[in-house]
Amino acid sequence: MIQLFRRIRQKLLSENKLSTYLVYAIGEIILVMIGILLALQVNNWNEKRNQDELRITYYQQLLDELTLDNNQIELNLERQEKSIASYQDYLKSYERDNLSPQEIFNNINKVNFSFGTIEFNTYTIEVLKSTGDIRFMPKALRNKLVTLKNAQTDHLKNKGIRESMSLRIMEDAYLAGPLSLKNVLENQSQMAKALDFDYRLPYQIAIMHSGLTSKTFAENNNIWELKNILALTDETVQLIRAELNL
């Protein structure tokens, strides 16, 4: 094609058809420009198609991860609500008159002392932020993802601080009296007397009560934050499903 244009130009110049040559040269320039514009348009189409495919892949990954988070949050909420209920049952046990320290100790040991763990699935949002691909997302979804990620990060930080305080108190409770030895010292009266379990027990119960009160406070705050994260997660899912026309 280029050689053909070259021969035409040479022929026009050799025949001194300057005006015709100029018209032809302008036409050739226009054709080249059209070719460049078409090439750019095709490139833009390809780039947009690639971006759309990448965006759909991100959407599907986000939906999978958010579904896992939803399930995990629901289970975590259920566990903490049961834990709080066990603490409330323990408090109700005091409605009986004149409980002995051993009876109170038995009741307090029915409370759930464990802390649940939670880890959010943030792989895709981290990839979106690190690669800069988050710019391909619609503004509303982009803002919602950032808000959700910040809420998750804040929750994990706050949860760790609150629960560490409760754990320290409960650790003090177990250090306050070696009650785990009581059953194995039935035939060791001298050792049992030296440890003086009856004296240590009320003190240990007081510390355990304080620790469980702190734990319940932490769990109530955890529940409030998790419910907020759950709402943000549902809103994010709805935005993604709308983008996928689901």
Side-chain angles (χ1 to χ4, degrees):
M1 182 65 70
I2 295 176
Q3 291 180 351
L4 176 62
F5 288 155
R6 186 180 294 117
R7 285 198 296 269
I8 294 173
R9 288 198 304 271
Q10 290 174 349
K11 182 178 180 182
L12 291 173
L13 286 172
S14 63
E15 294 176 356
N16 291 323
K17 296 181 179 180
L18 183 59
S19 60
T20 304
Y21 172 78
L22 290 174
V23 172
Y24 168 78
I26 293 172
E28 185 176 334
I29 292 171
I30 293 173
L31 286 174
V32 171
M33 291 178 65
I34 291 173
I36 293 172
L37 290 174
L38 287 174
L40 289 173
Q41 186 64 46
V42 170
N43 183 65
N44 289 337
W45 285 338
N46 288 333
E47 185 175 347
K48 184 179 183 303
R49 184 186 62 189
N50 291 336
Q51 289 179 2
D52 289 342
E53 291 176 354
L54 180 62
R55 193 160 42 237
I56 290 173
T57 299
Y58 280 135
Y59 287 158
Q60 292 170 339
Q61 290 178 187
L62 284 168
L63 284 179
D64 290 342
E65 292 177 1
L66 293 173
T67 298
L68 290 173
D69 283 347
N70 262 1
N71 295 336
Q72 186 178 195
I73 291 171
E74 293 286 2
L75 289 173
N76 204 278
L77 286 172
E78 182 180 357
R79 189 204 64 77
Q80 293 189 93
E81 285 165 355
K82 286 182 178 179
S83 177
I84 292 172
S86 71
Y87 175 74
Q88 296 297 330
D89 289 339
Y90 154 69
L91 292 181
K92 289 178 182 177
S93 71
Y94 284 104
E95 295 175 1
R96 288 178 52 198
D97 294 336
N98 297 319
L99 291 171
S100 69
Q102 186 61 52
E103 287 176 313
I104 294 174
F105 182 74
N106 292 339
N107 289 334
I108 202 170
N109 268 307
K110 294 177 183 178
V111 181
N112 183 356
F113 281 80
S114 65
F115 287 96
T117 60
I118 187 168
E119 293 182 8
F120 298 105
N121 295 276
T122 60
Y123 172 77
T124 301
I125 181 63
E126 294 291 353
V127 170
L128 284 168
K129 291 173 66 176
S130 64
T131 61
D133 287 345
I134 196 170
R135 69 185 185 278
F136 298 139
M137 303 291 171
K139 184 178 180 180
L141 177 56
R142 186 168 65 244
N143 292 340
K144 189 67 69 175
L145 286 170
V146 172
T147 301
L148 175 59
K149 180 64 172 62
N150 290 340
Q152 292 171 341
T153 301
D154 289 343
H155 172 68
L156 293 177
K157 178 182 177 181
N158 295 336
K159 179 177 183 292
I161 294 172
R162 288 190 292 260
E163 292 181 357
S164 64
M165 293 174 61
S166 303
L167 283 171
R168 283 197 297 271
I169 297 173
M170 284 188 279
E171 285 173 358
D172 290 341
Y174 281 101
L175 292 173
L179 295 177
S180 60
L181 282 174
K182 186 174 183 178
N183 293 332
V184 298
L185 293 179
E186 290 180 356
N187 300 323
Q188 306 296 327
S189 59
Q190 293 187 41
M191 183 63 175
K193 183 178 179 180
L195 289 171
D196 198 357
F197 292 110
D198 291 337
Y199 172 78
R200 292 172 179 268
L201 186 56
Y203 178 61
Q204 187 169 16
I205 290 172
I207 301 177
M208 291 171 69
H209 179 92
S210 178
L212 287 173
T213 301
S214 175
K215 177 177 180 287
T216 302
F217 172 81
E219 288 173 330
N220 276 312
N221 280 277
N222 290 344
I223 288 173
W224 184 85
E225 290 176 357
L226 283 175
K227 286 184 176 179
N228 178 55
I229 292 172
L230 192 62
L232 287 172
T233 302
D234 288 338
E235 292 168 7
T236 306
V237 167
Q238 292 305 315
L239 288 174
I240 295 173
R241 291 177 67 84
E243 289 296 318
L244 292 172
N245 296 316
L246 296 176

